Amino acid sequence: MELIDGKKVAAEIKQEIAAEVEKMVAGGKRRPHLAAILVGHDGGSETYVANKVKSCAECGFTSSLIRFEDDVTEDRLLEEIYRLNNDSEVDGFIVQLPLPRHISEQKLIEAIDYRKDVDGFHPINVGRMSIGLPCFRSATPAGIMMLLERYNVPTSGANCVVLGRSNIVGKPVAALMMQKGYPGNATVTVCHRDTKNLKEVCSNADILIAAMGRPESVTADMVKDGATVIDVGTTRVPDASRKSGFRLCGDVKFDEVAPKCAFITPVPGGVGPMTIVSLMRNTLLAAQHTIYQD
Ligand code: GUN
């Protein structure tokens, strides 16, 4: 069994990005600039955004954190999005999700200029990704693909089972895994709460991607010997022994599943660190106008 060390790969890629940024700066260009809109004080969102800001510094980017209270109106957020769309000093920006219930996430996402949508959530980026055109790929699926590539996990012709059909992970990672090329060319099955014979379907997987957000629900009896298991779960479960009062729990029962695997990602330190790196990479590509030229 080989552990897929997302923390190490993420640190390597951040160094590669930082080197690229220094070349840009030496060539007279300004630093890539990522802005993040954060609404309210959700603990998870605060942590994610703080990590994004920290990663920007590590990559040599400029970052802006724009905060609003929970009671902000949708119109005020739309106004901020339009401002960022038109700010030539900002290469890309994100609206951290989830948002309070009175605000339509979809409406905000669709208001973002797709050329600055470094989260890859805008329907234009999602659509372009699904038909294999250059686009901003959303962070978690792109991070998973980078891990498979860096560890040379064979994917062509592999049975890939994706657990979960979210717009952020399940659907896009399924699209990428079935796409022509490497990593890709897999035969993909997407499972969800109504899937029949889940155990049987999973036991056929050469690559199992668990993204349903149900802690430790993938058990050893669901996993084939020699499979590659990618655990996208990051549920916070109460843990009195931790200073924070919680620990991150994956969707896979790691201790019993790991011995059966060819490759497996741990939680934390697997997919998590890669998602931020994908965002940094997209911001670099936005600053270099690599994907959209105008
Ligand atoms: N909330 C959880 N993951 C993400 C993400 O990748 N981007 C944004 N904007 N919000 C999130």
Side-chain angles (χ1 to χ4, degrees), residues 62 65 83 116-117 125 171 174 214 238 242 277 282:
T62 308
L65 174 55
R83 189 187 68 73
K116 294 193 176 189
D117 167 41
N125 281 310
K171 279 183 206 152
R214 268 192 260 142
R242 303 286 174 100
V277 164
N282 280 348

Side-chain angles (χ1 to χ4, degrees), residues 77-142:
L77 291 174
L78 284 169
E79 191 187 312
E80 194 61 25
I81 288 171
Y82 298 140
R83 189 187 68 73
L84 290 167
N85 283 345
N86 291 310
D87 185 342
S88 60
E89 298 287 305
V90 172
D91 298 297
F93 66 98
I94 63 161
V95 179
Q96 186 65 30
L97 306 178
L99 292 168
R101 289 170 62 104
H102 67 281
I103 293 161
S104 160
E105 291 184 353
Q106 198 57 30
K107 196 167 175 185
L108 296 198
I109 287 169
E110 292 190 36
I112 297 172
D113 184 332
Y114 66 93
R115 294 164 299 188
K116 294 193 176 189
D117 167 41
V118 285
D119 255 336
F121 290 167
H122 191 288
I124 290 181
N125 281 310
V126 176
R128 289 178 65 95
M129 189 205 67
S130 74
I131 58 173
L133 292 176
C135 63
F136 293 121
R137 290 179 171 188
S138 66
T140 308

Side-chain angles (χ1 to χ4, degrees), residues 5-274:
D5 189 343
K7 208 170 153 186
K8 188 177 119 214
V9 175
E12 284 166 13
I13 299 179
K14 276 195 261 189
Q15 275 186 4
E16 291 165 18
I17 293 173
E20 187 75 17
V21 169
E22 292 321 311
K23 265 197 252 165
M24 283 171 71
V25 172
K29 301 231 168 60
R30 68 161 169 69
R31 294 180 180 277
H33 183 176
L34 173 71
I37 297 178
L38 176 60
V39 179
H41 300 274
D42 172 76
S45 294
E46 290 273 1
T47 307
Y48 288 135
V49 170
N51 283 332
K52 289 172 187 176
V53 168
K54 185 168 156 247
S55 292
C56 280
E58 288 166 0
C59 293
F61 294 1
T62 308
S63 66
S64 306
L65 174 55
I66 304 160
R67 283 179 172 275
F68 292 96
E69 290 303 321
D70 278 318
D71 59 357
V72 66
T73 63
E74 192 173 274
D75 280 347
R76 178 65 191 89
L77 291 174
L78 284 169
E79 191 187 312
E80 194 61 25
I81 288 171
Y82 298 140
R83 189 187 68 73
L84 290 167
N85 283 345
N86 291 310
D87 185 342
S88 60
E89 298 287 305
V90 172
D91 298 297
F93 66 98
I94 63 161
V95 179
Q96 186 65 30
L97 306 178
L99 292 168
R101 289 170 62 104
H102 67 281
I103 293 161
S104 160
E105 291 184 353
Q106 198 57 30
K107 196 167 175 185
L108 296 198
I109 287 169
E110 292 190 36
I112 297 172
D113 184 332
Y114 66 93
R115 294 164 299 188
K116 294 193 176 189
D117 167 41
V118 285
D119 255 336
F121 290 167
H122 191 288
I124 290 181
N125 281 310
V126 176
R128 289 178 65 95
M129 189 205 67
S130 74
I131 58 173
L133 292 176
C135 63
F136 293 121
R137 290 179 171 188
S138 66
T140 308
I144 293 170
M145 302 308 273
M146 284 192 247
L147 285 178
L148 294 174
E149 194 176 4
R150 293 250 165 172
Y151 279 82
N152 295 313
V153 175
T155 61
S156 187
N159 284 331
C160 173
V161 172
V162 178
L163 302 177
R165 56 177 158 183
S166 69
N167 290 340
I168 291 184
V169 187
K171 279 183 206 152
V173 85
L176 292 173
M177 288 301 290
M178 77 172 81
Q179 215 152 263
K180 280 188 184 159
Y182 179 79
N185 274 339
T187 305
V188 181
T189 308
V190 180
C191 300
H192 46 76
R193 67 180 72 247
D194 293 322
T195 297
K196 294 197 181 85
N197 306 325
L198 184 67
K199 192 167 124 180
E200 192 188 316
V201 176
C202 291
S203 319
N204 256 323
D206 302 304
I207 301 171
L208 185 61
I209 302 177
M212 64 287 211
R214 268 192 260 142
E216 298 189 332
S217 49
V218 175
T219 46
D221 57 338
M222 297 165 75
V223 178
K224 182 162 99 171
D225 276 321
T228 291
V229 174
I230 305 292
D231 189 350
V232 190
T234 51
T235 308
R236 290 179 162 198
V237 298
D239 184 341
S241 70
R242 303 286 174 100
K243 208 169 75 182
S244 61
F246 68 85
R247 69 186 162 85
L248 280 187
C249 190
D251 284 352
V252 176
K253 222 171 193 168
F254 184 89
D255 290 348
E256 62 176 57
V257 170
K260 298 184 81 173
C261 294
F263 298 94
I264 186 167
T265 61
V267 175
V271 174
M274 293 301 295

